[in-house]
Amino acid sequence: MVGGGGRLGEAAGGVVTAWGAAVGEVVEAHGGIFRGLVRGQLEGIPVEQLKEVTEGRLQTGVLAGAGYRTVAQVCGASAQELVRIPGIGGSTAQQLVGAARQIAEAVERSTAVRIDPARPDEASTALLVALHRLVLAGPGARRAVGEAEEIERRLAAPMAAARPATGWVRGLVAGAERREAARRAVEVLEKQVAAAEADGVPLRLAQAGADLLRPGAGEVEVRVEFEHRAAEFYAELALLADEGLLTGVDRGGPGAAEGHLPDELAESVRAERLDDRGCTVSLRGYQAFGARFALARKRVMIGDEMGLGKTVQALAVLAHLAAAGERHFLVVCPASVLVNWQRETGSRTTLAAYRYHGQEREAARAQWLAGGGVLVATYESLRTLAEDPVAALVVDEAHFVKNPAAQRTRLVAEWAARTERVLFLTGTPMENRVEEFRTLIGHLQPDLLSELPAGPGVAGSVAFRRAVAPAYLRRNQQDVLTELPDVVRVDEWGELSGPDRAAYAAAVAEGNFMAMRRAAYAEPAHSAKLRRLRELVAEAAESGHKVVVFSYFREVLATVREALGEAVRGTVSGALPAEVRQELVDAFSAVDGHAVLLCQIQAGGLGLNLQAANVVVLCEPQVKPTLEDQAVARAQRMGQIRRVRVHRLLATDSLDRGLVELLRGKAELFDRYARRSDLAESAPEAVDVSDRALAVRIVEDEQLRLAGAE
């Protein structure tokens, strides 16, 4: 059995060594790019900047005269070199080096490595090849390394003590006491090897070793993989940065990954163990914290900004519970994302997923009851779903249950009341009123309601966020997903054409708010907005970019489809079954080069992954700012590797201007209460604005404006 222990130890050591080599390649490639970026920035900083660091105490004219033009050159010199310059003494040389180092450190803190697919080079290719090996090995390799290190630690002492048992000569000269110790060590080894074999450890080590030692892929292969799996590449970088192995991976400011929770609460969450053996993808640090938050607090809402992987965090919670022996879980979501939940469960965990939807729903439920796993149901289907006990309830797009009077709200509340663990997911927990937020919290931890103010003017946003912290966690893209390219937002203001104005005036006279919103497309041959839309799509086509066009109105999308012709690959609308919507998105994403997808914003802005597109066009401003945010987030989400351009088509002589202004109040209300913000106490004027009241107000304003213009 000493031989068995030796073989197990060799396998463990081989995995640890292979992991170290694979990680070393990433560290070396990443470090080369990072140092080059820092050097490039320092080369652009004139040497005169050193005076600002020392508040004008240093004179840099002598340096410039000696040929030192940039901070980079000073960083590359030592104090001994600088002191040789006439006019620079020892103390000044030390100060110059210190000031240059101070600037360099600031640059290093603000520099992050991003891979631009449009600019392939040898350095970025080397980094992608090295990362690709870790991506393919997956989280299983990282777990295997942990097991291997533990095996090495546990085998070290018994293997050393068992040496006298490895040969009769060693046993003869060892003496009775050492032979007895060797016998006991062999027994320990037998138990350890048997336990490892029973648990499948040798197989996992062998698989991890093979994955980590596979030959590096070619440039074309890794760049194609990066196009499709960028989020996983960046996740590996983030994990290595969390382990202190990389600099130049911006993971947000202090507390960003933890949603700036109060210290005591954050510490209790960090202490929560997370078993991710059932996950087939690596979790980023903030995602693992989100899963721990849900496990530690049991009944919570994760309100992360869209595109940060709320689904993955929920699945990590379910995988943890499954590893602990739980078998049945229920996910409730809108019909539009049923397919996505089933896919994500299958691709990111080892759990089985079943859809409780359509004619086969009872058969799916029977399979779920028999085999365990995740049952995915719509809000509507809860009416017919039997009250089977579940270990955890996940409610996606939970803002759908903000209205206490709605039937779906009552159904979810009933399920939540009889389920120990409940997780709400929504990036928009409050669209119009603080009271909506209170309703959601009431489903989860009603005891908190007594501490939550009922309106924005009562206690202020800071106190509100502090009170809701035990049940609510939110992180924003700009804080934790810093590798994302920038979003460029452009409001495309233009004037209505003559026919546009006539159609708009008729709608205003009728007091028809919806007709006013779509009047700019009433005469396609003369539509100013449609003309600008064609120009934007033509520009995208020249660059090979994919475009998603959003509108609230199917009639507008039909007009756009006719105007754009063959470039349009389909229209995602609320009338389509969820499966068909997903098929359209898949086909759009699979197109090589330019393509256009049309989406009704209520359907395409919810749940679907549209990161294949990097040009977004909004045909008109929306009544709810969260609708626009959701739509943009379909493209600007984890894994996006191109800069996203968002164009909102607006008409100066219409309701668009007033609508944009009035909606800023809604966005501010959300920022103060549901999104962590540095704003001061809430102002009473940041109040509720219902959709109906908003429509009435705008119609009246436009009627008065047009009447005054006559």
PDB file of all heavy atoms in Angstrom, residues 317-351:
ATOM      1  N   VAL A 317     -26.347  28.692  -5.958  1.00  0.00           N
ATOM      2  CA  VAL A 317     -27.061  28.412  -4.705  1.00  0.00           C
ATOM      3  C   VAL A 317     -27.720  27.042  -4.787  1.00  0.00           C
ATOM      4  O   VAL A 317     -27.615  26.218  -3.861  1.00  0.00           O
ATOM      5  CB  VAL A 317     -28.115  29.504  -4.431  1.00  0.00           C
ATOM      6  CG1 VAL A 317     -29.010  29.105  -3.259  1.00  0.00           C
ATOM      7  CG2 VAL A 317     -27.437  30.836  -4.150  1.00  0.00           C
ATOM      8  N   LEU A 318     -28.403  26.774  -5.898  1.00  0.00           N
ATOM      9  CA  LEU A 318     -29.091  25.490  -6.048  1.00  0.00           C
ATOM     10  C   LEU A 318     -28.093  24.334  -6.090  1.00  0.00           C
ATOM     11  O   LEU A 318     -28.343  23.267  -5.510  1.00  0.00           O
ATOM     12  CB  LEU A 318     -29.949  25.500  -7.312  1.00  0.00           C
ATOM     13  CG  LEU A 318     -31.009  26.611  -7.414  1.00  0.00           C
ATOM     14  CD1 LEU A 318     -31.905  26.389  -8.633  1.00  0.00           C
ATOM     15  CD2 LEU A 318     -31.835  26.704  -6.148  1.00  0.00           C
ATOM     16  N   ALA A 319     -26.960  24.533  -6.769  1.00  0.00           N
ATOM     17  CA  ALA A 319     -25.941  23.480  -6.833  1.00  0.00           C
ATOM     18  C   ALA A 319     -25.375  23.186  -5.443  1.00  0.00           C
ATOM     19  O   ALA A 319     -25.110  22.024  -5.097  1.00  0.00           O
ATOM     20  CB  ALA A 319     -24.823  23.898  -7.792  1.00  0.00           C
ATOM     21  N   HIS A 320     -25.174  24.227  -4.654  1.00  0.00           N
ATOM     22  CA  HIS A 320     -24.697  24.040  -3.273  1.00  0.00           C
ATOM     23  C   HIS A 320     -25.701  23.212  -2.476  1.00  0.00           C
ATOM     24  O   HIS A 320     -25.317  22.266  -1.767  1.00  0.00           O
ATOM     25  CB  HIS A 320     -24.490  25.403  -2.616  1.00  0.00           C
ATOM     26  CG  HIS A 320     -24.206  25.330  -1.148  1.00  0.00           C
ATOM     27  ND1 HIS A 320     -22.937  25.327  -0.627  1.00  0.00           N
ATOM     28  CD2 HIS A 320     -25.051  25.234  -0.066  1.00  0.00           C
ATOM     29  CE1 HIS A 320     -22.991  25.238   0.697  1.00  0.00           C
ATOM     30  NE2 HIS A 320     -24.272  25.181   1.061  1.00  0.00           N
ATOM     31  N   LEU A 321     -26.964  23.571  -2.570  1.00  0.00           N
ATOM     32  CA  LEU A 321     -27.992  22.846  -1.816  1.00  0.00           C
ATOM     33  C   LEU A 321     -28.098  21.399  -2.299  1.00  0.00           C
ATOM     34  O   LEU A 321     -28.307  20.483  -1.497  1.00  0.00           O
ATOM     35  CB  LEU A 321     -29.342  23.558  -1.956  1.00  0.00           C
ATOM     36  CG  LEU A 321     -29.404  24.968  -1.338  1.00  0.00           C
ATOM     37  CD1 LEU A 321     -30.741  25.626  -1.663  1.00  0.00           C
ATOM     38  CD2 LEU A 321     -29.191  24.911   0.174  1.00  0.00           C
ATOM     39  N   ALA A 322     -27.941  21.191  -3.606  1.00  0.00           N
ATOM     40  CA  ALA A 322     -27.983  19.826  -4.144  1.00  0.00           C
ATOM     41  C   ALA A 322     -26.819  18.999  -3.608  1.00  0.00           C
ATOM     42  O   ALA A 322     -26.978  17.815  -3.283  1.00  0.00           O
ATOM     43  CB  ALA A 322     -27.956  19.863  -5.666  1.00  0.00           C
ATOM     44  N   ALA A 323     -25.634  19.624  -3.495  1.00  0.00           N
ATOM     45  CA  ALA A 323     -24.472  18.912  -2.951  1.00  0.00           C
ATOM     46  C   ALA A 323     -24.696  18.525  -1.500  1.00  0.00           C
ATOM     47  O   ALA A 323     -24.110  17.554  -1.002  1.00  0.00           O
ATOM     48  CB  ALA A 323     -23.224  19.787  -3.081  1.00  0.00           C
ATOM     49  N   ALA A 324     -25.566  19.289  -0.814  1.00  0.00           N
ATOM     50  CA  ALA A 324     -25.874  18.992   0.591  1.00  0.00           C
ATOM     51  C   ALA A 324     -27.013  17.992   0.736  1.00  0.00           C
ATOM     52  O   ALA A 324     -27.426  17.679   1.858  1.00  0.00           O
ATOM     53  CB  ALA A 324     -26.229  20.282   1.324  1.00  0.00           C
ATOM     54  N   GLY A 325     -27.529  17.505  -0.402  1.00  0.00           N
ATOM     55  CA  GLY A 325     -28.550  16.470  -0.354  1.00  0.00           C
ATOM     56  C   GLY A 325     -29.952  16.898  -0.732  1.00  0.00           C
ATOM     57  O   GLY A 325     -30.859  16.057  -0.810  1.00  0.00           O
ATOM     58  N   GLU A 326     -30.173  18.186  -0.966  1.00  0.00           N
ATOM     59  CA  GLU A 326     -31.500  18.635  -1.397  1.00  0.00           C
ATOM     60  C   GLU A 326     -31.740  18.214  -2.849  1.00  0.00           C
ATOM     61  O   GLU A 326     -30.803  18.133  -3.641  1.00  0.00           O
ATOM     62  CB  GLU A 326     -31.626  20.155  -1.263  1.00  0.00           C
ATOM     63  CG  GLU A 326     -31.424  20.673   0.155  1.00  0.00           C
ATOM     64  CD  GLU A 326     -32.570  20.300   1.087  1.00  0.00           C
ATOM     65  OE1 GLU A 326     -33.558  19.696   0.611  1.00  0.00           O
ATOM     66  OE2 GLU A 326     -32.471  20.599   2.289  1.00  0.00           O
ATOM     67  N   ARG A 327     -33.023  18.003  -3.206  1.00  0.00           N
ATOM     68  CA  ARG A 327     -33.276  17.435  -4.529  1.00  0.00           C
ATOM     69  C   ARG A 327     -34.176  18.273  -5.430  1.00  0.00           C
ATOM     70  O   ARG A 327     -34.053  18.219  -6.648  1.00  0.00           O
ATOM     71  CB  ARG A 327     -33.903  16.042  -4.384  1.00  0.00           C
ATOM     72  CG  ARG A 327     -33.009  15.049  -3.645  1.00  0.00           C
ATOM     73  CD  ARG A 327     -33.593  13.646  -3.725  1.00  0.00           C
ATOM     74  NE  ARG A 327     -33.651  13.169  -5.081  1.00  0.00           N
ATOM     75  CZ  ARG A 327     -34.666  12.466  -5.602  1.00  0.00           C
ATOM     76  NH1 ARG A 327     -35.725  12.197  -4.855  1.00  0.00           N
ATOM     77  NH2 ARG A 327     -34.635  12.046  -6.840  1.00  0.00           N
ATOM     78  N   HIS A 328     -35.114  19.020  -4.889  1.00  0.00           N
ATOM     79  CA  HIS A 328     -36.118  19.681  -5.720  1.00  0.00           C
ATOM     80  C   HIS A 328     -36.079  21.199  -5.556  1.00  0.00           C
ATOM     81  O   HIS A 328     -36.129  21.716  -4.437  1.00  0.00           O
ATOM     82  CB  HIS A 328     -37.518  19.161  -5.373  1.00  0.00           C
ATOM     83  CG  HIS A 328     -37.690  17.705  -5.658  1.00  0.00           C
ATOM     84  ND1 HIS A 328     -37.554  16.732  -4.686  1.00  0.00           N
ATOM     85  CD2 HIS A 328     -37.956  17.051  -6.817  1.00  0.00           C
ATOM     86  CE1 HIS A 328     -37.740  15.536  -5.234  1.00  0.00           C
ATOM     87  NE2 HIS A 328     -37.980  15.704  -6.522  1.00  0.00           N
ATOM     88  N   PHE A 329     -36.009  21.888  -6.704  1.00  0.00           N
ATOM     89  CA  PHE A 329     -35.944  23.343  -6.721  1.00  0.00           C
ATOM     90  C   PHE A 329     -36.922  23.874  -7.767  1.00  0.00           C
ATOM     91  O   PHE A 329     -37.155  23.233  -8.799  1.00  0.00           O
ATOM     92  CB  PHE A 329     -34.524  23.816  -7.055  1.00  0.00           C
ATOM     93  CG  PHE A 329     -33.457  23.112  -6.254  1.00  0.00           C
ATOM     94  CD1 PHE A 329     -32.708  22.086  -6.812  1.00  0.00           C
ATOM     95  CD2 PHE A 329     -33.230  23.456  -4.931  1.00  0.00           C
ATOM     96  CE1 PHE A 329     -31.748  21.421  -6.077  1.00  0.00           C
ATOM     97  CE2 PHE A 329     -32.264  22.799  -4.182  1.00  0.00           C
ATOM     98  CZ  PHE A 329     -31.522  21.774  -4.748  1.00  0.00           C
ATOM     99  N   LEU A 330     -37.467  25.058  -7.501  1.00  0.00           N
ATOM    100  CA  LEU A 330     -38.448  25.656  -8.414  1.00  0.00           C
ATOM    101  C   LEU A 330     -37.966  27.042  -8.831  1.00  0.00           C
ATOM    102  O   LEU A 330     -37.603  27.860  -7.990  1.00  0.00           O
ATOM    103  CB  LEU A 330     -39.813  25.765  -7.729  1.00  0.00           C
ATOM    104  CG  LEU A 330     -40.921  26.482  -8.516  1.00  0.00           C
ATOM    105  CD1 LEU A 330     -41.253  25.720  -9.798  1.00  0.00           C
ATOM    106  CD2 LEU A 330     -42.174  26.648  -7.648  1.00  0.00           C
ATOM    107  N   VAL A 331     -37.981  27.283 -10.132  1.00  0.00           N
ATOM    108  CA  VAL A 331     -37.680  28.597 -10.691  1.00  0.00           C
ATOM    109  C   VAL A 331     -38.949  29.119 -11.355  1.00  0.00           C
ATOM    110  O   VAL A 331     -39.556  28.427 -12.178  1.00  0.00           O
ATOM    111  CB  VAL A 331     -36.537  28.540 -11.728  1.00  0.00           C
ATOM    112  CG1 VAL A 331     -36.403  29.883 -12.449  1.00  0.00           C
ATOM    113  CG2 VAL A 331     -35.224  28.168 -11.059  1.00  0.00           C
ATOM    114  N   VAL A 332     -39.344  30.324 -11.007  1.00  0.00           N
ATOM    115  CA  VAL A 332     -40.503  30.976 -11.616  1.00  0.00           C
ATOM    116  C   VAL A 332     -40.000  32.163 -12.417  1.00  0.00           C
ATOM    117  O   VAL A 332     -39.206  32.974 -11.911  1.00  0.00           O
ATOM    118  CB  VAL A 332     -41.504  31.446 -10.544  1.00  0.00           C
ATOM    119  CG1 VAL A 332     -42.726  32.069 -11.201  1.00  0.00           C
ATOM    120  CG2 VAL A 332     -41.915  30.288  -9.659  1.00  0.00           C
ATOM    121  N   CYS A 333     -40.452  32.282 -13.660  1.00  0.00           N
ATOM    122  CA  CYS A 333     -39.943  33.335 -14.530  1.00  0.00           C
ATOM    123  C   CYS A 333     -40.962  33.661 -15.620  1.00  0.00           C
ATOM    124  O   CYS A 333     -41.911  32.900 -15.837  1.00  0.00           O
ATOM    125  CB  CYS A 333     -38.623  32.891 -15.170  1.00  0.00           C
ATOM    126  SG  CYS A 333     -38.790  31.432 -16.233  1.00  0.00           S
ATOM    127  N   PRO A 334     -40.776  34.761 -16.349  1.00  0.00           N
ATOM    128  CA  PRO A 334     -41.632  35.033 -17.500  1.00  0.00           C
ATOM    129  C   PRO A 334     -41.428  33.973 -18.588  1.00  0.00           C
ATOM    130  O   PRO A 334     -40.354  33.358 -18.679  1.00  0.00           O
ATOM    131  CB  PRO A 334     -41.148  36.406 -17.989  1.00  0.00           C
ATOM    132  CG  PRO A 334     -40.437  37.001 -16.828  1.00  0.00           C
ATOM    133  CD  PRO A 334     -39.829  35.853 -16.087  1.00  0.00           C
ATOM    134  N   ALA A 335     -42.456  33.756 -19.409  1.00  0.00           N
ATOM    135  CA  ALA A 335     -42.368  32.734 -20.457  1.00  0.00           C
ATOM    136  C   ALA A 335     -41.205  32.984 -21.405  1.00  0.00           C
ATOM    137  O   ALA A 335     -40.614  32.044 -21.945  1.00  0.00           O
ATOM    138  CB  ALA A 335     -43.681  32.686 -21.242  1.00  0.00           C
ATOM    139  N   SER A 336     -40.845  34.263 -21.590  1.00  0.00           N
ATOM    140  CA  SER A 336     -39.795  34.599 -22.551  1.00  0.00           C
ATOM    141  C   SER A 336     -38.428  34.050 -22.178  1.00  0.00           C
ATOM    142  O   SER A 336     -37.552  33.939 -23.035  1.00  0.00           O
ATOM    143  CB  SER A 336     -39.704  36.122 -22.705  1.00  0.00           C
ATOM    144  OG  SER A 336     -39.409  36.720 -21.459  1.00  0.00           O
ATOM    145  N   VAL A 337     -38.213  33.712 -20.910  1.00  0.00           N
ATOM    146  CA  VAL A 337     -36.892  33.236 -20.504  1.00  0.00           C
ATOM    147  C   VAL A 337     -36.913  31.789 -20.008  1.00  0.00           C
ATOM    148  O   VAL A 337     -35.933  31.317 -19.432  1.00  0.00           O
ATOM    149  CB  VAL A 337     -36.269  34.157 -19.429  1.00  0.00           C
ATOM    150  CG1 VAL A 337     -35.962  35.513 -20.018  1.00  0.00           C
ATOM    151  CG2 VAL A 337     -37.178  34.306 -18.224  1.00  0.00           C
ATOM    152  N   LEU A 338     -38.003  31.080 -20.244  1.00  0.00           N
ATOM    153  CA  LEU A 338     -38.061  29.657 -19.875  1.00  0.00           C
ATOM    154  C   LEU A 338     -36.923  28.878 -20.514  1.00  0.00           C
ATOM    155  O   LEU A 338     -36.214  28.110 -19.851  1.00  0.00           O
ATOM    156  CB  LEU A 338     -39.390  29.054 -20.328  1.00  0.00           C
ATOM    157  CG  LEU A 338     -40.587  29.111 -19.388  1.00  0.00           C
ATOM    158  CD1 LEU A 338     -41.807  28.585 -20.120  1.00  0.00           C
ATOM    159  CD2 LEU A 338     -40.333  28.278 -18.141  1.00  0.00           C
ATOM    160  N   VAL A 339     -36.775  29.054 -21.821  1.00  0.00           N
ATOM    161  CA  VAL A 339     -35.750  28.305 -22.559  1.00  0.00           C
ATOM    162  C   VAL A 339     -34.367  28.659 -22.031  1.00  0.00           C
ATOM    163  O   VAL A 339     -33.514  27.787 -21.849  1.00  0.00           O
ATOM    164  CB  VAL A 339     -35.848  28.609 -24.058  1.00  0.00           C
ATOM    165  CG1 VAL A 339     -34.724  27.919 -24.819  1.00  0.00           C
ATOM    166  CG2 VAL A 339     -37.194  28.152 -24.609  1.00  0.00           C
ATOM    167  N   ASN A 340     -34.157  29.945 -21.770  1.00  0.00           N
ATOM    168  CA  ASN A 340     -32.850  30.373 -21.281  1.00  0.00           C
ATOM    169  C   ASN A 340     -32.519  29.732 -19.944  1.00  0.00           C
ATOM    170  O   ASN A 340     -31.382  29.290 -19.720  1.00  0.00           O
ATOM    171  CB  ASN A 340     -32.824  31.895 -21.145  1.00  0.00           C
ATOM    172  CG  ASN A 340     -31.437  32.417 -20.813  1.00  0.00           C
ATOM    173  OD1 ASN A 340     -30.504  32.244 -21.574  1.00  0.00           O
ATOM    174  ND2 ASN A 340     -31.304  33.037 -19.654  1.00  0.00           N
ATOM    175  N   TRP A 341     -33.479  29.654 -19.027  1.00  0.00           N
ATOM    176  CA  TRP A 341     -33.225  29.014 -17.734  1.00  0.00           C
ATOM    177  C   TRP A 341     -32.891  27.534 -17.896  1.00  0.00           C
ATOM    178  O   TRP A 341     -31.999  27.018 -17.224  1.00  0.00           O
ATOM    179  CB  TRP A 341     -34.438  29.187 -16.811  1.00  0.00           C
ATOM    180  CG  TRP A 341     -34.320  30.378 -15.928  1.00  0.00           C
ATOM    181  CD1 TRP A 341     -34.894  31.604 -16.107  1.00  0.00           C
ATOM    182  CD2 TRP A 341     -33.546  30.480 -14.730  1.00  0.00           C
ATOM    183  NE1 TRP A 341     -34.523  32.458 -15.094  1.00  0.00           N
ATOM    184  CE2 TRP A 341     -33.706  31.799 -14.234  1.00  0.00           C
ATOM    185  CE3 TRP A 341     -32.748  29.596 -14.029  1.00  0.00           C
ATOM    186  CZ2 TRP A 341     -33.090  32.233 -13.061  1.00  0.00           C
ATOM    187  CZ3 TRP A 341     -32.132  30.032 -12.860  1.00  0.00           C
ATOM    188  CH2 TRP A 341     -32.299  31.332 -12.393  1.00  0.00           C
ATOM    189  N   GLN A 342     -33.608  26.868 -18.781  1.00  0.00           N
ATOM    190  CA  GLN A 342     -33.320  25.448 -18.990  1.00  0.00           C
ATOM    191  C   GLN A 342     -31.910  25.266 -19.559  1.00  0.00           C
ATOM    192  O   GLN A 342     -31.158  24.382 -19.132  1.00  0.00           O
ATOM    193  CB  GLN A 342     -34.366  24.834 -19.918  1.00  0.00           C
ATOM    194  CG  GLN A 342     -34.273  23.317 -20.014  1.00  0.00           C
ATOM    195  CD  GLN A 342     -35.414  22.727 -20.825  1.00  0.00           C
ATOM    196  OE1 GLN A 342     -35.962  23.367 -21.718  1.00  0.00           O
ATOM    197  NE2 GLN A 342     -35.780  21.492 -20.520  1.00  0.00           N
ATOM    198  N   ARG A 343     -31.563  26.108 -20.520  1.00  0.00           N
ATOM    199  CA  ARG A 343     -30.227  26.028 -21.121  1.00  0.00           C
ATOM    200  C   ARG A 343     -29.133  26.325 -20.101  1.00  0.00           C
ATOM    201  O   ARG A 343     -28.130  25.624 -20.018  1.00  0.00           O
ATOM    202  CB  ARG A 343     -30.120  27.039 -22.266  1.00  0.00           C
ATOM    203  CG  ARG A 343     -30.814  26.628 -23.539  1.00  0.00           C
ATOM    204  CD  ARG A 343     -30.479  27.644 -24.606  1.00  0.00           C
ATOM    205  NE  ARG A 343     -31.034  27.293 -25.900  1.00  0.00           N
ATOM    206  CZ  ARG A 343     -30.772  27.957 -27.012  1.00  0.00           C
ATOM    207  NH1 ARG A 343     -29.977  29.002 -26.977  1.00  0.00           N
ATOM    208  NH2 ARG A 343     -31.307  27.582 -28.150  1.00  0.00           N
ATOM    209  N   GLU A 344     -29.310  27.416 -19.360  1.00  0.00           N
ATOM    210  CA  GLU A 344     -28.291  27.817 -18.397  1.00  0.00           C
ATOM    211  C   GLU A 344     -28.093  26.757 -17.321  1.00  0.00           C
ATOM    212  O   GLU A 344     -26.966  26.484 -16.906  1.00  0.00           O
ATOM    213  CB  GLU A 344     -28.683  29.148 -17.747  1.00  0.00           C
ATOM    214  CG  GLU A 344     -28.676  30.338 -18.692  1.00  0.00           C
ATOM    215  CD  GLU A 344     -27.266  30.777 -19.037  1.00  0.00           C
ATOM    216  OE1 GLU A 344     -26.614  31.389 -18.182  1.00  0.00           O
ATOM    217  OE2 GLU A 344     -26.813  30.490 -20.158  1.00  0.00           O
ATOM    218  N   THR A 345     -29.180  26.163 -16.880  1.00  0.00           N
ATOM    219  CA  THR A 345     -29.065  25.114 -15.862  1.00  0.00           C
ATOM    220  C   THR A 345     -28.261  23.941 -16.403  1.00  0.00           C
ATOM    221  O   THR A 345     -27.371  23.403 -15.726  1.00  0.00           O
ATOM    222  CB  THR A 345     -30.454  24.635 -15.417  1.00  0.00           C
ATOM    223  OG1 THR A 345     -31.206  25.747 -14.926  1.00  0.00           O
ATOM    224  CG2 THR A 345     -30.343  23.588 -14.316  1.00  0.00           C
ATOM    225  N   GLY A 346     -28.562  23.547 -17.647  1.00  0.00           N
ATOM    226  CA  GLY A 346     -27.858  22.411 -18.240  1.00  0.00           C
ATOM    227  C   GLY A 346     -26.406  22.681 -18.567  1.00  0.00           C
ATOM    228  O   GLY A 346     -25.564  21.787 -18.457  1.00  0.00           O
ATOM    229  N   SER A 347     -26.091  23.923 -18.960  1.00  0.00           N
ATOM    230  CA  SER A 347     -24.721  24.218 -19.388  1.00  0.00           C
ATOM    231  C   SER A 347     -23.813  24.673 -18.246  1.00  0.00           C
ATOM    232  O   SER A 347     -22.591  24.591 -18.357  1.00  0.00           O
ATOM    233  CB  SER A 347     -24.732  25.303 -20.475  1.00  0.00           C
ATOM    234  OG  SER A 347     -25.232  26.527 -19.964  1.00  0.00           O
ATOM    235  N   ARG A 348     -24.395  25.142 -17.144  1.00  0.00           N
ATOM    236  CA  ARG A 348     -23.588  25.707 -16.068  1.00  0.00           C
ATOM    237  C   ARG A 348     -23.612  24.905 -14.774  1.00  0.00           C
ATOM    238  O   ARG A 348     -22.905  25.243 -13.834  1.00  0.00           O
ATOM    239  CB  ARG A 348     -24.023  27.156 -15.800  1.00  0.00           C
ATOM    240  CG  ARG A 348     -23.819  28.054 -17.015  1.00  0.00           C
ATOM    241  CD  ARG A 348     -24.289  29.462 -16.758  1.00  0.00           C
ATOM    242  NE  ARG A 348     -24.142  30.295 -17.942  1.00  0.00           N
ATOM    243  CZ  ARG A 348     -23.035  30.933 -18.300  1.00  0.00           C
ATOM    244  NH1 ARG A 348     -21.964  30.853 -17.533  1.00  0.00           N
ATOM    245  NH2 ARG A 348     -22.977  31.657 -19.394  1.00  0.00           N
ATOM    246  N   THR A 349     -24.442  23.874 -14.724  1.00  0.00           N
ATOM    247  CA  THR A 349     -24.479  23.019 -13.536  1.00  0.00           C
ATOM    248  C   THR A 349     -24.644  21.570 -13.956  1.00  0.00           C
ATOM    249  O   THR A 349     -24.874  21.261 -15.125  1.00  0.00           O
ATOM    250  CB  THR A 349     -25.659  23.389 -12.598  1.00  0.00           C
ATOM    251  OG1 THR A 349     -26.886  22.931 -13.192  1.00  0.00           O
ATOM    252  CG2 THR A 349     -25.737  24.884 -12.347  1.00  0.00           C
ATOM    253  N   THR A 350     -24.563  20.691 -12.981  1.00  0.00           N
ATOM    254  CA  THR A 350     -24.823  19.272 -13.231  1.00  0.00           C
ATOM    255  C   THR A 350     -26.275  18.910 -12.921  1.00  0.00           C
ATOM    256  O   THR A 350     -26.637  17.732 -12.946  1.00  0.00           O
ATOM    257  CB  THR A 350     -23.886  18.416 -12.355  1.00  0.00           C
ATOM    258  OG1 THR A 350     -24.071  18.775 -10.974  1.00  0.00           O
ATOM    259  CG2 THR A 350     -22.430  18.641 -12.743  1.00  0.00           C
ATOM    260  N   LEU A 351     -27.107  19.916 -12.642  1.00  0.00           N
ATOM    261  CA  LEU A 351     -28.506  19.681 -12.316  1.00  0.00           C
ATOM    262  C   LEU A 351     -29.335  19.479 -13.578  1.00  0.00           C
ATOM    263  O   LEU A 351     -29.060  20.085 -14.619  1.00  0.00           O
ATOM    264  CB  LEU A 351     -29.078  20.873 -11.531  1.00  0.00           C
ATOM    265  CG  LEU A 351     -28.425  21.184 -10.180  1.00  0.00           C
ATOM    266  CD1 LEU A 351     -28.953  22.510  -9.646  1.00  0.00           C
ATOM    267  CD2 LEU A 351     -28.697  20.058  -9.198  1.00  0.00           C
TER     268      LEU A 351
END
